[in-house]
Amino acid sequence: MPRFFIETTKSVSTLPTNSRPKFFAFGIPDYTNLGDQAVSLASRKYIETEFPEFQYIEILEDDNDAGIEAVEKIITSQDVVSFVGGGNMGSLYTEHESARRKVFSTFVNNLTISFPQSIHFEETDFGHKQQQLSQAAYSRNPHLFLIARDAQSYHRMQTTFSNHVLFTPDMVLYMKAEDFHFQRSGALFALRRDGEKVVDDTLVESMKHLLDKPQRSIIQTDTVLDTVDHITPMTREKLFQQELELFAHQEMIITDRWHAMVFSVLTGTPCLLFGNSYGKGKHAYIDWLEHIDWIDYTDETDLTRLKAIIDRLIGTPKHDFDLRPDFGQLHQLIARHLKTIS
Amino acid sequence: MPRFFIETTKSVSTLPTNSRPKFFAFGIPDYTNLGDQAVSLASRKYIETEFPEFQYIEILEDDNDAGIEAVEKIITSQDVVSFVGGGNMGSLYTEHESARRKVFSTFVNNLTISFPQSIHFEETDFGHKQQQLSQAAYSRNPHLFLIARDAQSYHRMQTTFSNHVLFTPDMVLYMKAEDFHFQRSGALFALRRDGEKVVDDTLVESMKHLLDKPQRSIIQTDTVLDTVDHITPMTREKLFQQELELFAHQEMIITDRWHAMVFSVLTGTPCLLFGNSYGKGKHAYIDWLEHIDWIDYTDETDLTRLKAIIDRLIGTPKHDFDLRPDFGQLHQLIARHLKTIS
C-alpha cells in the first residue's frame, strides 16, 4: 500500500479525489542523507509558495511501483509529474536511476519535471549500458523537461538526451534560513564515507591540527545521519532545522559535501569545499555561488595555501545574496502549463 | 546611408522588399577584434544553417541609428531582431551598451534575441548608473530574450533584468574547423593590451623562456589585428580562416583571450588560458570546455606548476567533442517563433 504525503495534513494519506490540479513528486527519499532530504523539502516549499494552485503529493521512492500504479488511475492532463532532484542521475546510484526511468517512461502524456540534478554516467561498459537504458526510457516522454543544477550537467544532459533541458540552481538554494545570531565556536568537518570521496585523510588530519585551538572544538561528522534509521516528509523539516542550527554555531566548515556548502550559505557560515569524484560540487559552486564571499572551493593540497584560504574565510562578514531569480526557467515552465489548463 | 549585409550576395545592399521573414542582426563590428568578428560570423552561420527560412541581414554597429530607422519602416511581426553576442554587456564598453539599449527598446513588438554574452557592471557609481540605464531600456521589451554564455552571467542577467534569460555557449563554439594536419612548431602568446588585462608581464616573460627551445619560435600577438583598419562581413571569414591556420601551426597557445581558447578548441591546439579582470574566460571554460583535454584554465603563478600544466597539454592528443546540442534553448526559441507565424 503506497503512502502519499499531502500538504496541509503532512501525514500519510490515500490519494485525494478532488478536482484541484495535482503535482506528483516521485522519488522522495526516506534514507538519512540530509542533503537529499533538504532537496525534497525545498521542492515542496517551492511549489507551495510559487504555485499554490497545485495539491502537492509526495511518493516515497520505496513505494515507486505501487505509487505509479495508484497515480495512473487518477491522473488527468492538468496534473504535473516530477522526480526529485539531487546529485544521483547516472550510473552511480542505479536504484534511483531505475525508479526515475520508470516514472519518466510511464507518464508520457503529462508535463514531467526532473528537478535539478547533476549527472554522471561512468566511462565503462556498465556506465554505457546504464546510459542506454536511461536514453531509451527518457526518450519515450516528449513532455519531459530535465533540469541541470550546474553547467557541466547541462552540457552532459543535452549531449546525452533528446529531451528539453533547463538550467537552475539546486532546489535547496531556494530556501532561506533565519538569522540565528549564535555565538560561533568550533569547526565542523562534514566528510563523505562513500564512493565519491577523494579528499586525502592525511590532509584532513592536518587541517584539524590547523583549526584545533584551545577555544575551538573539532567535530567530524557527515550530513548523512546515523542517529536515525529513516527520515520521512513528516520528520525531515525538524532535522533540517537542527542541521542549520548546528552549522550556525560553527566558525568554520570543512567539507566535500555540496549540501554542506549550501547549509553554510544559508546560515552565513564560513565553508571550504573540496572535490568529489566527478566535480559536482565544484561546478555548482562556480556556477552559482562564487559571488558569496564566506565560502570557497579548492583542489589545493598545500597546507600553507589552505591556511591562508581558511583564515580569509573565517574573517569574511556575511552579505546579502539572492538566488531566487535563478529559478526563472522552472517558474516559466510551470506558469506556461497552468496557462494551458486554465 | 546605412549599409546592409545580406546573405548570398554578401555585399552592401539596400533593404530587400520581398516577403520572406527577416532576421535583423544589429551590432555587427567593423573593428579588428577577431574574437568579436568570429562571433558575428558564427551567428550568421548558425541562422543560415539551422533556419534557412530567414533572410539574414547584418547592420554594422557604426550604422546603428540609421539602421534602426530604416528597419523600422519595413519590419513586420514575422521578423526577428537580434544584437550581436560577445563579452561586452555592461559598463566597460558603453558605446556597445548604448547601441544595444537603443535596439532593444525600439523593436518592442518583435522577438528580440541578445546573442550569447558575458555581463559585467562595475561596482561603482558609474557602473550603477549604466546598469539603471540598461534596466530601463531592456524592460521596455517584453519579447526580449537575453542569452548568457556562462553561468556567472546567467545569474547576473537574471538578478539584474526582468527579461527572459537563456543559456548557451559562445556562438563561435558552433563553428567547426577543417582538420589542417599541419606540422606544428612554435608557441603563440595571444595577450590583451586593454583594461581587462591582469596577467603579470614578468610571468609572461618567464613562460616565454620556458617554451623558447631551439626548434620552437615564440610569437607574441593579440587576436585584435593591427594589420588592417577595418573588418566587415565581406572580409571577416577569410581573416578568421587565416587565424585558425595560424593557430593550427602552433604547439602551444598561451593567452588571456577567451576567443584564443575557442580557436584552440576548434583547431585542436594545446592552450592555457589565464584570467581577465572579471572572470569571463574562466567561467566559460569551466561551464563548457572542461571536458576538452588539450586546453586548460589557470590562475597559477608558480612557474614549476605552470611548466607541469604546459607539458601535459602539449602531450595531449585531440579527441572528438560536440557542443552543438548546447545551443538547444536558442534553437527552441526560434523554432517556436516560426511555428507561430506559419
Side-chain angles (χ1 to χ4, degrees), chain A residues 190-219:
Chain A
L191 295 167
R192 295 180 172 278
R193 292 163 294 190
D194 64 16
E196 295 181 33
K197 171 178 158 64
V198 292
V199 184
D200 182 67
D201 286 336
T202 317
L203 188 65
V204 170
E205 288 311 309
S206 305
M207 282 190 289
K208 284 184 184 165
H209 286 301
L210 206 71
L211 283 159
D212 189 14
K213 294 182 176 168
Q215 268 74 42
R216 188 187 289 143
S217 62
I218 305 281
I219 312 170

Short mmCIF file of all heavy atoms in Angstrom, two decimals, chain A residues 190-219:
data_model
loop_
_atom_site.label_atom_id
_atom_site.label_comp_id
_atom_site.label_asym_id
_atom_site.label_seq_id
_atom_site.Cartn_x
_atom_site.Cartn_y
_atom_site.Cartn_z
N ALA A 190 32.57 17.97 7.71
CA ALA A 190 31.47 17.14 7.19
C ALA A 190 32.00 16.39 5.97
O ALA A 190 32.12 16.96 4.89
CB ALA A 190 30.27 18.00 6.82
N LEU A 191 32.33 15.12 6.16
CA LEU A 191 33.09 14.41 5.12
C LEU A 191 32.41 13.10 4.71
O LEU A 191 31.87 12.37 5.54
CB LEU A 191 34.51 14.13 5.62
CG LEU A 191 35.34 15.41 5.84
CD1 LEU A 191 36.61 15.08 6.62
CD2 LEU A 191 35.67 16.09 4.53
N ARG A 192 32.50 12.83 3.42
CA ARG A 192 31.94 11.62 2.83
C ARG A 192 32.61 10.36 3.36
O ARG A 192 33.81 10.36 3.63
CB ARG A 192 32.18 11.62 1.32
CG ARG A 192 31.50 12.66 0.58
CD ARG A 192 31.81 12.57 -0.91
NE ARG A 192 30.95 13.51 -1.60
CZ ARG A 192 29.70 13.25 -1.94
NH1 ARG A 192 29.17 12.06 -1.70
NH2 ARG A 192 28.96 14.15 -2.53
N ARG A 193 31.84 9.30 3.37
CA ARG A 193 32.40 7.97 3.61
C ARG A 193 31.99 7.04 2.46
O ARG A 193 31.91 5.84 2.61
CB ARG A 193 31.89 7.43 4.95
CG ARG A 193 32.41 8.20 6.15
CD ARG A 193 31.60 7.94 7.41
NE ARG A 193 30.24 8.46 7.29
CZ ARG A 193 29.38 8.56 8.30
NH1 ARG A 193 29.72 8.18 9.51
NH2 ARG A 193 28.16 9.04 8.09
N ASP A 194 31.65 7.65 1.31
CA ASP A 194 31.12 6.84 0.21
C ASP A 194 32.08 6.81 -0.97
O ASP A 194 33.21 7.27 -0.89
CB ASP A 194 29.73 7.36 -0.22
CG ASP A 194 29.81 8.78 -0.79
OD1 ASP A 194 30.92 9.24 -1.14
OD2 ASP A 194 28.76 9.43 -0.89
N GLY A 195 31.62 6.23 -2.06
CA GLY A 195 32.46 6.05 -3.24
C GLY A 195 32.85 7.32 -3.96
O GLY A 195 33.72 7.30 -4.82
N GLU A 196 32.24 8.45 -3.61
CA GLU A 196 32.59 9.71 -4.27
C GLU A 196 33.74 10.41 -3.56
O GLU A 196 34.22 11.46 -4.00
CB GLU A 196 31.38 10.65 -4.31
CG GLU A 196 30.23 10.13 -5.16
CD GLU A 196 29.04 11.12 -5.21
OE1 GLU A 196 29.29 12.34 -5.16
OE2 GLU A 196 27.90 10.65 -5.26
N LYS A 197 34.18 9.86 -2.41
CA LYS A 197 35.22 10.51 -1.61
C LYS A 197 36.57 10.53 -2.34
O LYS A 197 37.03 9.51 -2.84
CB LYS A 197 35.37 9.74 -0.29
CG LYS A 197 36.56 10.13 0.58
CD LYS A 197 36.52 9.30 1.86
CE LYS A 197 37.87 9.20 2.55
NZ LYS A 197 38.39 10.46 3.03
N VAL A 198 37.22 11.71 -2.41
CA VAL A 198 38.57 11.79 -2.97
C VAL A 198 39.55 12.53 -2.06
O VAL A 198 40.75 12.51 -2.29
CB VAL A 198 38.60 12.47 -4.37
CG1 VAL A 198 37.92 11.61 -5.42
CG2 VAL A 198 37.98 13.86 -4.32
N VAL A 199 39.04 13.22 -1.02
CA VAL A 199 39.94 14.01 -0.16
C VAL A 199 40.80 13.07 0.69
O VAL A 199 40.30 12.12 1.28
CB VAL A 199 39.14 14.96 0.77
CG1 VAL A 199 40.09 15.83 1.58
CG2 VAL A 199 38.20 15.82 -0.04
N ASP A 200 42.08 13.40 0.73
CA ASP A 200 43.05 12.57 1.41
C ASP A 200 42.93 12.68 2.94
O ASP A 200 42.83 13.77 3.50
CB ASP A 200 44.44 13.05 0.97
CG ASP A 200 45.54 12.22 1.58
OD1 ASP A 200 45.64 11.04 1.21
OD2 ASP A 200 46.27 12.77 2.43
N ASP A 201 42.92 11.52 3.64
CA ASP A 201 42.75 11.51 5.09
C ASP A 201 43.86 12.27 5.82
O ASP A 201 43.61 12.92 6.83
CB ASP A 201 42.72 10.06 5.61
CG ASP A 201 41.40 9.38 5.28
OD1 ASP A 201 40.39 10.11 5.09
OD2 ASP A 201 41.37 8.15 5.21
N THR A 202 45.08 12.15 5.31
CA THR A 202 46.20 12.85 5.95
C THR A 202 46.00 14.36 5.89
O THR A 202 46.26 15.08 6.87
CB THR A 202 47.52 12.49 5.23
OG1 THR A 202 47.51 11.08 4.96
CG2 THR A 202 48.72 12.88 6.06
N LEU A 203 45.51 14.84 4.75
CA LEU A 203 45.25 16.26 4.60
C LEU A 203 44.17 16.71 5.58
O LEU A 203 44.27 17.78 6.20
CB LEU A 203 44.82 16.57 3.16
CG LEU A 203 44.69 18.05 2.80
CD1 LEU A 203 46.04 18.75 2.85
CD2 LEU A 203 44.06 18.22 1.41
N VAL A 204 43.15 15.87 5.75
CA VAL A 204 42.07 16.19 6.70
C VAL A 204 42.65 16.33 8.11
O VAL A 204 42.36 17.29 8.83
CB VAL A 204 40.97 15.10 6.66
CG1 VAL A 204 40.00 15.29 7.82
CG2 VAL A 204 40.24 15.13 5.33
N GLU A 205 43.50 15.37 8.50
CA GLU A 205 44.11 15.44 9.85
C GLU A 205 44.94 16.71 10.01
O GLU A 205 44.90 17.37 11.06
CB GLU A 205 44.99 14.20 10.10
CG GLU A 205 44.18 12.92 10.32
CD GLU A 205 43.05 13.08 11.34
OE1 GLU A 205 43.30 13.58 12.46
OE2 GLU A 205 41.89 12.73 11.00
N SER A 206 45.67 17.09 8.96
CA SER A 206 46.48 18.31 9.03
C SER A 206 45.60 19.54 9.21
O SER A 206 45.94 20.45 9.96
CB SER A 206 47.32 18.48 7.75
OG SER A 206 48.09 17.33 7.53
N MET A 207 44.48 19.56 8.52
CA MET A 207 43.58 20.71 8.67
C MET A 207 42.96 20.75 10.05
O MET A 207 42.71 21.83 10.59
CB MET A 207 42.52 20.69 7.57
CG MET A 207 43.04 21.17 6.22
SD MET A 207 41.73 21.41 5.03
CE MET A 207 41.27 19.71 4.72
N LYS A 208 42.71 19.57 10.62
CA LYS A 208 42.20 19.55 12.00
C LYS A 208 43.21 20.18 12.95
O LYS A 208 42.84 20.97 13.83
CB LYS A 208 41.88 18.12 12.43
CG LYS A 208 40.60 17.59 11.84
CD LYS A 208 40.27 16.21 12.37
CE LYS A 208 39.03 15.65 11.70
NZ LYS A 208 38.88 14.21 11.92
N HIS A 209 44.48 19.86 12.77
CA HIS A 209 45.53 20.45 13.62
C HIS A 209 45.59 21.96 13.43
O HIS A 209 45.80 22.71 14.37
CB HIS A 209 46.89 19.82 13.31
CG HIS A 209 47.02 18.44 13.85
ND1 HIS A 209 46.90 18.15 15.20
CD2 HIS A 209 47.23 17.24 13.24
CE1 HIS A 209 47.03 16.84 15.38
NE2 HIS A 209 47.23 16.27 14.20
N LEU A 210 45.38 22.37 12.18
CA LEU A 210 45.40 23.80 11.85
C LEU A 210 44.30 24.54 12.61
O LEU A 210 44.49 25.67 13.08
CB LEU A 210 45.13 23.91 10.34
CG LEU A 210 45.63 25.08 9.57
CD1 LEU A 210 47.15 24.97 9.43
CD2 LEU A 210 45.00 25.04 8.16
N LEU A 211 43.13 23.91 12.71
CA LEU A 211 41.95 24.59 13.28
C LEU A 211 41.77 24.32 14.77
O LEU A 211 40.99 24.98 15.44
CB LEU A 211 40.69 24.14 12.52
CG LEU A 211 40.52 24.80 11.15
CD1 LEU A 211 39.61 23.98 10.25
CD2 LEU A 211 39.98 26.22 11.29
N ASP A 212 42.51 23.33 15.28
CA ASP A 212 42.33 22.87 16.66
C ASP A 212 43.04 23.80 17.64
O ASP A 212 44.21 23.64 17.92
CB ASP A 212 42.89 21.45 16.77
CG ASP A 212 42.55 20.83 18.13
OD1 ASP A 212 41.68 21.39 18.84
OD2 ASP A 212 43.16 19.80 18.45
N LYS A 213 42.33 24.80 18.14
CA LYS A 213 42.92 25.76 19.09
C LYS A 213 42.23 25.60 20.42
O LYS A 213 41.14 25.01 20.50
CB LYS A 213 42.74 27.17 18.55
CG LYS A 213 43.54 27.39 17.26
CD LYS A 213 43.41 28.80 16.76
CE LYS A 213 44.32 28.97 15.54
NZ LYS A 213 44.04 30.21 14.82
N PRO A 214 42.81 26.12 21.50
CA PRO A 214 42.23 25.95 22.83
C PRO A 214 40.73 26.25 22.89
O PRO A 214 39.96 25.51 23.48
CB PRO A 214 43.01 26.95 23.68
CG PRO A 214 44.35 27.05 23.01
CD PRO A 214 44.11 26.85 21.55
N GLN A 215 40.30 27.33 22.22
CA GLN A 215 38.87 27.71 22.32
C GLN A 215 38.01 27.11 21.22
O GLN A 215 36.86 27.49 21.05
CB GLN A 215 38.72 29.25 22.27
CG GLN A 215 38.73 29.92 23.63
CD GLN A 215 40.12 29.95 24.21
OE1 GLN A 215 41.09 30.22 23.52
NE2 GLN A 215 40.23 29.62 25.49
N ARG A 216 38.56 26.18 20.45
CA ARG A 216 37.77 25.71 19.32
C ARG A 216 37.71 24.18 19.28
O ARG A 216 38.73 23.52 19.13
CB ARG A 216 38.35 26.24 18.01
CG ARG A 216 37.47 25.95 16.81
CD ARG A 216 38.16 26.33 15.51
NE ARG A 216 38.28 27.75 15.32
CZ ARG A 216 39.32 28.35 14.76
NH1 ARG A 216 40.36 27.63 14.39
NH2 ARG A 216 39.33 29.64 14.59
N SER A 217 36.52 23.64 19.44
CA SER A 217 36.37 22.19 19.36
C SER A 217 36.23 21.77 17.90
O SER A 217 35.77 22.54 17.06
CB SER A 217 35.12 21.76 20.13
OG SER A 217 33.99 22.35 19.55
N ILE A 218 36.63 20.54 17.62
CA ILE A 218 36.54 19.99 16.27
C ILE A 218 35.52 18.86 16.27
O ILE A 218 35.62 17.94 17.10
CB ILE A 218 37.90 19.42 15.82
CG1 ILE A 218 39.01 20.46 15.92
CG2 ILE A 218 37.80 18.82 14.41
CD1 ILE A 218 39.06 21.48 14.81
N ILE A 219 34.55 18.92 15.39
CA ILE A 219 33.60 17.82 15.22
C ILE A 219 33.81 17.22 13.84
O ILE A 219 33.88 17.95 12.86
CB ILE A 219 32.12 18.31 15.27
CG1 ILE A 219 31.88 19.22 16.47
CG2 ILE A 219 31.17 17.12 15.27
CD1 ILE A 219 30.50 19.91 16.41
#
